[in-house]
Amino acid sequence: MHESDSEFILVQTTSSEVAVLEKIARQLILERFAACVQISGPITSHFSWEGKIDSTSEWLCSIKTTRKAWRRIEQTILEMHNYDLPEIIALPIIDGSTTYLEWLRENVSE
């Protein structure tokens, strides 16, 4: 991940198996790599894979955390995910409720 001014990030990943994301979510919270993980869906994803246009039903996992926890989150997802090449992206949280961001900071180990 590239450095930015944002202390907080939203990490996203998707999977066709909600149970995989639930296990990842529990592990991230247990290890205090994330303060909150939400799983939404199903959603329909359209993509190019191995030279073909494809689509599938997936679940979206949104992980609220700090930039300092990024590598640990990425590694956990890679170890536990059911895809060969999972989506793992981080978006900066540029602002938020002061009390919510304080809670987020307090619930992520650095």
Side-chain angles (χ1 to χ4, degrees):
M1 190 171 117
H2 299 289
E3 293 293 316
S4 76
D5 293 335
S6 179
E7 174 184 359
F8 305 103
I9 59 173
L10 174 71
V11 178
Q12 289 188 179
T13 190
T14 57
S15 176
S16 59
E17 302 292 329
V18 70
V20 169
L21 296 179
E22 288 171 350
K23 288 178 185 176
I24 290 170
R26 280 191 297 276
Q27 187 67 27
L28 293 175
I29 298 296
L30 177 69
E31 297 289 337
R32 295 180 52 91
F33 296 161
C36 177
V37 180
Q38 296 169 316
I39 301 170
S40 309
I43 60 172
T44 302
S45 295
H46 301 269
F47 52 93
S48 174
W49 183 249
E50 297 179 343
K52 296 184 288 186
I53 303 296
D54 205 351
S55 65
T56 192
S57 182
E58 293 185 303
W59 297 85
L60 174 64
C61 184
S62 301
I63 303 155
K64 279 77 143 211
T65 189
T66 63
R67 188 166 37 94
K68 291 180 180 179
W70 161 251
R71 290 288 172 221
R72 294 178 290 175
I73 288 174
E74 180 185 31
Q75 188 59 41
T76 300
I77 293 170
L78 288 170
E79 289 171 2
M80 299 180 72
H81 209 286
N82 62 312
Y83 288 177
D84 292 336
L85 179 61
E87 168 192 358
I88 309 172
I89 61 171
L91 307 167
I93 298 173
I94 59 169
D95 209 348
S97 160
T98 301
T99 53
Y100 181 82
L101 295 178
E102 286 172 3
W103 171 83
L104 196 158
R105 183 183 298 112
E106 290 169 4
N107 284 279
V108 176
S109 295
E110 311 238 346

